[in-house]
Amino acid sequence: MSLLRWLAQWPLPRLQALGAGLGWLTWACSPSYRRRLAQNALLAGLTPQQRRASVAEAGRMVVEALWLWLMPPAQRLDERVRWQGAEWVDQALSSQQGLVFFTPHLGSFEVSARAIIERWGHQRPLTVMYRPARSALLRELEEGARARPGLSTVPASLGGVRQMLRALRKGEMVGLLPDQVPPLGQGVWAPFFGQAAYTITLAARLVTQTGAQALVVWCERLPKGQGFVMHVEPLGEVLEASDDDAAQSAAATAINRAMERVIMQKPEQYLWGYHRYKQPRGQDATGGTSA
């Protein structure tokens, strides 16, 4: 832990340079990671240059999370973050409706929640869903970092879903990663860059069951430690309020389409090595259950 705290005190440009090196080391040491990254990037039509850049960017994302988690509680991100599209949040918060933020595995997505509560947490609290890390040390870091005024975290479980629905019905803000692969029974198969991907249904249900507004937010990493740009834009898709299978598939497809549009704004900063197309145990890509 002392080593991690020492590293987190490095200037951000130096820390990101270290992260880029770690990204390439991971790529060199893991054939399965190399293969998955190449396959996923190929589906999206990335150029070889964009694919190579994504290796270093993934490493930068990891060390930025460490930097963020170990940041002193009183330290703020204001001077490092600028906004594009903040007026969409202001407009949404002028109503009494809840607000859902969809954030893909793009850029410095760990920075997004902190930046949101620093700017709007005094108006509405934010609840985010996360999947706890397997490592006890990382779980400790995550829990400490996310214990911030105006920010609540809930696990990816039935209890967490209920908490998010309650927050939205009170007119609060919630956030989740809609490109996270859900457990069996909590998703549907929908195309993502032309290939079937098991896609969470919760993202659409949070909007349709509560009447909440939906925005896409993502955090672009600027080069050489210059900081970050928070991008906000409307979802741009209509989500049908129905629980039947066809409507859930249509909603998941619409959200995946919106995520594709955002990801391709800065494709080299997407986590192409993420196992987006994995199959939940017991289910195949047609939606059937295996023996």
Side-chain angles (χ1 to χ4, degrees):
M1 179 68 82
S2 58
L3 174 61
L4 296 180
R5 292 190 183 280
W6 175 70
L7 287 173
Q9 293 174 10
W10 283 19
L12 188 57
R14 188 193 304 174
L15 198 59
Q16 288 178 338
L18 172 65
L22 291 175
W24 277 108
L25 181 62
T26 303
W27 182 88
C29 294
S30 176
S32 61
Y33 175 69
R34 288 199 302 273
R35 182 168 57 251
R36 185 165 59 243
L37 186 151
Q39 291 172 345
N40 292 350
L42 182 63
L43 285 172
L46 265 65
T47 65
Q49 181 180 3
Q50 289 172 324
R51 188 174 66 203
R52 289 192 297 270
S54 75
V55 175
E57 295 291 352
R60 293 186 180 104
M61 181 277 298
V62 172
V63 296
E64 283 167 357
L66 170 66
W67 169 77
L68 188 70
W69 293 345
L70 293 174
M71 183 181 292
Q75 187 173 338
R76 294 175 59 89
L77 295 172
D78 306 67
E79 294 182 355
R80 296 181 180 271
V81 174
R82 68 174 189 260
W83 289 84
Q84 289 186 1
E87 65 274 9
W88 289 107
V89 183
D90 291 330
Q91 180 179 322
L93 295 181
S94 67
S95 75
Q96 298 303 311
Q97 296 171 280
L99 176 57
V100 182
F101 290 110
F102 293 136
T103 304
H105 287 84
L106 176 65
S108 303
F109 54 88
E110 280 282 350
V111 171
S112 298
R114 181 80 62 83
I116 289 169
I117 62 167
E118 285 190 5
R119 182 156 182 154
W120 291 286
H122 66 286
Q123 294 180 245
R124 311 269 182 96
L126 172 68
T127 300
V128 295
M129 177 171 280
Y130 76 104
R131 187 167 295 167
R134 296 179 181 179
S135 162
L137 175 60
L138 289 181
R139 282 200 304 274
E140 180 184 347
L141 288 175
E142 284 179 329
E143 291 167 2
R146 291 167 174 160
R148 302 273 170 166
L151 177 63
S152 300
T153 58
V154 296
S157 65
L158 183 58
V161 171
R162 288 171 176 163
Q163 287 179 258
M164 297 186 89
L165 288 170
R166 283 197 296 268
L168 288 173
R169 287 172 179 142
K170 291 190 292 184
E172 297 177 359
M173 304 183 292
V174 305
L176 78 164
L177 286 83
D179 57 343
Q180 183 109 11
V181 179
L184 179 63
Q186 297 180 28
V188 293
W189 291 98
F192 186 67
F193 289 110
Q195 180 165 313
Y198 198 60
T199 302
I200 192 170
T201 56
L202 173 62
R205 288 193 290 117
L206 289 174
V207 175
T208 60
Q209 292 184 11
T210 67
Q213 300 180 74
L215 294 173
V216 180
V217 60
W218 64 281
C219 182
E220 177 186 358
R221 175 185 309 109
L222 296 177
K224 300 179 181 179
Q226 296 176 69
F228 310 94
V229 178
M230 290 291 298
H231 298 266
V232 186
E233 57 188 80
L235 180 64
E237 298 278 355
V238 177
L239 305 179
E240 184 179 345
S242 174
D243 286 334
D244 66 63
D245 292 344
Q248 289 196 44
S249 295
T253 299
I255 290 176
N256 279 353
R257 214 166 28 233
M259 295 304 102
E260 291 173 1
R261 183 189 73 240
V262 171
I263 289 164
M264 294 311 293
Q265 293 179 32
K266 200 70 176 177
E268 62 271 24
Q269 290 193 13
Y270 187 67
L271 287 185
W272 297 106
Y274 176 59
H275 205 345
R276 180 66 184 92
Y277 299 99
K278 69 181 178 181
Q279 296 184 8
R281 183 177 299 175
Q283 191 165 16
D284 59 35
T286 66
T289 303
S290 60

